[in-house]
Amino acid sequence: MIHLFLRFVKEMVKAVEQTNPDLVIAPYLKTYIPEAVWKEYTCLVVHPGIKGDRGPYSLDWAIMDNQ
């Protein structure tokens, strides 16, 4: 499992270095962006929420408010 994760990190760094993007967009990010990437490139992590998103517990609030 760790081997696969390390391979993913190396592949991500390699892909970003090869393409030299102005912006790295990471929708629904399930793991971290490697330091070698976020220190050198502008990164945007997108986690869509409901209208009026309420921060880190927005889904919990939506459920409690029956939204």
Side-chain angles (χ1 to χ4, degrees), residues 8 12-13 15-27 29 32-46:
F8 164 77
M12 178 188 251
V13 171
V16 170
E17 288 175 345
Q18 287 177 343
T19 58
N20 192 28
D22 293 325
L23 176 65
V24 175
I25 301 174
L29 186 67
Y32 70 93
I33 297 173
E35 185 175 349
V37 174
W38 62 258
K39 274 197 163 187
E40 297 296 323
Y41 301 90
T42 302
C43 298
L44 175 64
V45 179
V46 181

